[in-house]
Amino acid sequence: MNIDAEELDFLLPSGDDLRVFLNQESITDAALRRVLRRRGIYVPSTERAELISFLLFSFLNPSEFGELLQQVRQREESEKERSIVHSVVCDAPNLEAILPAAIDLHKIAVDGFGNSQILGAPELVHDPQGKNDSFIIRFKNERKSVTADWLEAKRVFEGSIRFTLNKDTKVLVINTEHTSAETERICRKVRSFVEKDLRERSVIGVEPLCVVNFGSFTNEERILFFMAFTKEKPDSQYRFQKWTDLALKLDDDAGIPHDKLKWMSKKVSVLKLRGAALHETFFVTDVACHPYVIFWKTILTYDFTTPDHSGYFHAVLEFGNYGVKPSASCEFQISVEVHIDKKSSRHRDYLELSRHFRAKLLEEKQQHFSEIIDRRKKANGASQPTRTHPDQVGQLPLFK
C-alpha cells in the first residue's frame, strides 16, 4: 500500500499494515501496555506478540495511532552523536590546509536504490570551537520511498559531520550527528571518504587513536564502561539520578553461565529491563555475572541546573544497531532528550541544551574509555596498545 505523508492524518492502519507498524522497535512494550490499560485491558504476559494481538483484533483509534506514531518519529528524529580521534602526522598550518579540496556529498553518499536524496549543495563551513579550528558540513536528506510500514512516507532528516583540529596535541576529531538510518549512512560514507583521503596524503596515522566500538571491550569492561557514566561529578551542571532501561543477553561464547543466570540459558535470547534503579540489580552489582552478560544499550536519567534553566534529561548510551545486527564494529553513540522545568518542548533552548549535554557526555566517553585502557595495561603489564581494535580484544582479567 502506497500512502502519502498527508494521508496519515486521515487513514488508520489495519491488517498487515497494523502488524508491521506495531512491531517497530521504536514502539516500546510500555507504550503498548499503556494503550491497553486505557481500555481497561491488563495483560499479565510480557510477550510482545501477546500485547500486539489484542490491538490487531481491536484496531487503533485515531488518538492511539497518533500517540504511537509520534513516539516513533521522536525516536527516529533524535540526534545521535559519534566521534573518532586521529593523530595528525604532518605539519599542518591549519585545518583548511589538510581537509580535502572538495567534499561532494551527492557523489560520496548517493543512494543507489533511489529511496532518498540529499537536498541542496551542502558545503564545509568554518565554525571554530574555542581555540580549536573546526569545520562542519550540515545537510538535509529526504526520504522518498514508501513502504508498508506507514513510516517511510516522504520526510526530511538532518545530519552533520564536524572536523576539529587541536594543533597543540596534533589530534583531529571527527564528530558525526545523525537521525535516521539514511543520515547515519551518509555520515559513515563521508567520514570514510575523508579518512581515506587523509591517509593517502599522509596527514593522519594509519589507524585511529581512539574509536569506541562494541568489540573494544570484554564483557566485564563494557559493563564498567556503562557504569562509569553514573559516577558523581563534582561541580558539574548535571547529576546522575537513575538507570531506567537496559538491554542485555547472555554471551553464548562465554561458557556455562553463573548460577544467577542459569534461568536465562537457552530460554531468554534478549532481556530488556525497565525500572527506576536498574543499576542496583544483580546484573550490574554482582561482578561474578559480568563475564557471561552482554550489555549494549542503557538509558540514564540526569538532573541538571544551568544559569538559565533546570530540569532533567534522558541519555541513551548504546552501540548503534547492535540490537538489530550484532557486530564488533558497532560504534558507541549518544543521544539526549531534554526536559526543561516549566518550559514547552518547543522552547528554543531545547536543541542547544541537548547538544551541550551530549557534548559533555562524549567528553566523558573519552575519559571513561581511557580509564578502561589504563586498567587493562596495568593488568597486563602494559603489554596492550593504548588503542584497541575489535580484532585485538581477548579475554582479560576482571577489574577489581
Side-chain angles (χ1 to χ4, degrees):
M1 175 184 286
N2 288 347
I3 303 166
D4 292 331
E6 292 80 5
E7 291 181 301
L8 291 176
D9 293 331
F10 305 100
L11 299 176
L12 293 174
S14 61
D16 288 338
D17 289 327
L18 179 57
R19 182 186 300 276
V20 174
F21 172 73
L22 293 174
N23 272 298
Q24 293 290 326
E25 184 181 3
S26 296
I27 297 180
T28 64
D29 295 351
L32 297 176
R33 284 195 292 268
R34 187 163 56 247
V35 170
L36 290 172
R37 282 199 300 270
R38 291 200 193 109
R39 299 179 177 185
I41 301 173
Y42 293 85
V43 183
S45 173
T46 58
E47 290 294 326
R48 187 180 182 87
E50 290 196 30
L51 297 173
I52 290 176
S53 67
F54 282 93
L55 298 172
L56 288 175
F57 288 119
S58 58
F59 304 105
L60 294 174
N61 64 39
S63 63
E64 292 168 343
F65 175 58
E67 176 185 345
L68 295 178
L69 185 61
Q70 182 65 19
Q71 181 183 86
V72 174
R73 285 176 167 169
Q74 285 178 343
R75 290 196 168 209
E76 187 173 37
E77 291 172 357
S78 65
E79 293 180 337
K80 300 97 178 173
E81 189 163 354
R82 301 175 181 178
S83 65
I84 188 169
V85 181
H86 292 277
S87 60
V88 177
V89 295
C90 70
D91 292 327
N94 54 56
L95 183 56
E96 184 177 10
I98 65 175
L99 288 176
I103 302 178
D104 188 338
L105 268 64
H106 291 279
K107 291 182 179 179
I108 298 169
V110 63
D111 184 352
F113 298 101
N115 294 326
S116 65
Q117 65 176 350
I118 296 169
L119 302 179
E123 296 181 347
L124 272 173
V125 177
H126 193 222
D127 184 30
Q129 300 293 290
K131 68 175 184 178
N132 294 327
D133 203 6
S134 185
F135 281 81
I136 188 169
I137 305 176
R138 295 185 175 91
F139 64 89
K140 294 183 179 180
N141 187 68
E142 181 182 73
R143 175 198 291 162
K144 56 184 179 179
S145 64
V146 183
T147 70
D149 67 5
W150 286 71
L151 297 172
E152 303 296 315
K154 184 183 290 186
R155 296 176 62 198
V156 175
F157 299 94
E158 298 183 5
S160 69
I161 308 100
R162 177 182 290 278
F163 307 92
T164 303
L165 174 66
N166 186 319
K167 289 183 64 177
D168 296 336
T169 59
K170 301 195 72 173
V171 161
L172 175 67
V173 181
I174 305 177
N175 287 78
T176 61
E177 289 183 3
H178 69 274
T179 49
S180 66
E182 291 84 359
T183 55
E184 188 275 336
R185 178 186 62 83
I186 293 169
C187 288
R188 178 165 30 88
K189 286 196 170 187
V190 172
R191 192 182 79 182
S192 296
F193 169 83
V194 173
E195 289 172 333
K196 181 174 183 291
D197 176 86
L198 296 178
R199 289 193 186 99
E200 289 176 347
R201 292 190 287 115
S202 299
V203 173
I204 61 174
V206 176
E207 294 290 343
L209 280 176
C210 177
V211 55
V212 181
N213 294 333
F214 178 86
S216 299
F217 307 90
T218 63
N219 293 339
E220 301 99 312
E221 291 173 331
R222 200 176 299 109
I223 295 172
L224 287 174
F225 178 67
F226 279 124
M227 290 172 62
F229 288 91
T230 69
K231 293 179 180 177
E232 289 291 333
K233 305 169 187 65
D235 304 321
S236 175
Q237 293 179 329
Y238 57 96
R239 181 173 58 88
F240 171 73
Q241 183 66 28
K242 55 186 177 180
W243 190 335
T244 60
D245 288 62
L246 173 61
L248 61 93
K249 66 178 182 179
L250 288 181
D251 186 347
D252 295 331
D253 299 324
I256 300 175
H258 182 267
D259 288 344
K260 288 187 178 181
L261 302 172
K262 285 184 177 179
W263 61 274
M264 292 177 63
S265 182
K266 298 180 180 180
K267 298 176 183 178
V268 180
S269 56
V270 173
L271 191 61
K272 295 183 178 180
L273 302 177
R274 293 184 177 88
L278 296 184
H279 52 290
E280 297 177 2
T281 62
F282 71 88
F283 291 108
V284 178
T285 60
D286 190 343
V287 294
C289 295
H290 292 182
Y292 309 102
V293 183
I294 290 175
F295 286 19
W296 73 86
K297 179 179 179 180
T298 65
I299 300 180
L300 309 182
T301 299
Y302 297 86
D303 294 328
F304 74 85
T305 302
T306 69
D308 299 314
H309 301 293
S310 63
Y312 66 93
F313 65 88
H314 302 301
V316 182
L317 315 176
E318 64 180 316
F319 293 93
N321 300 323
Y322 186 87
V324 178
K325 189 178 181 180
S327 170
S329 63
C330 290
E331 287 190 47
F332 183 74
Q333 65 185 31
I334 296 174
S335 60
V336 168
E337 179 185 341
V338 171
H339 299 264
I340 305 175
D341 292 342
K342 300 179 182 179
K343 298 292 183 182
S344 164
S345 60
R346 296 182 179 180
H347 192 277
R348 63 182 181 275
D349 289 346
Y350 266 78
L351 182 59
E352 181 181 345
L353 281 172
S354 294
R355 290 177 173 171
H356 171 73
F357 290 125
R358 195 168 65 241
K360 291 295 184 183
L361 290 172
L362 277 173
E363 291 176 7
E364 276 197 48
K365 177 206 78 170
Q366 201 68 35
Q367 176 187 344
H368 300 328
F369 184 65
S370 296
E371 291 171 355
I372 294 289
I373 299 303
D374 289 342
R375 290 192 181 202
R376 181 186 299 168
K377 288 172 64 178
K378 291 178 181 178
N380 290 272
S383 62
Q384 293 290 331
T386 56
R387 184 197 62 80
T388 59
H389 184 277
D391 296 332
Q392 297 174 331
V393 177
Q395 291 298 318
L396 301 176
L398 178 65
F399 299 142
K400 300 298 182 181

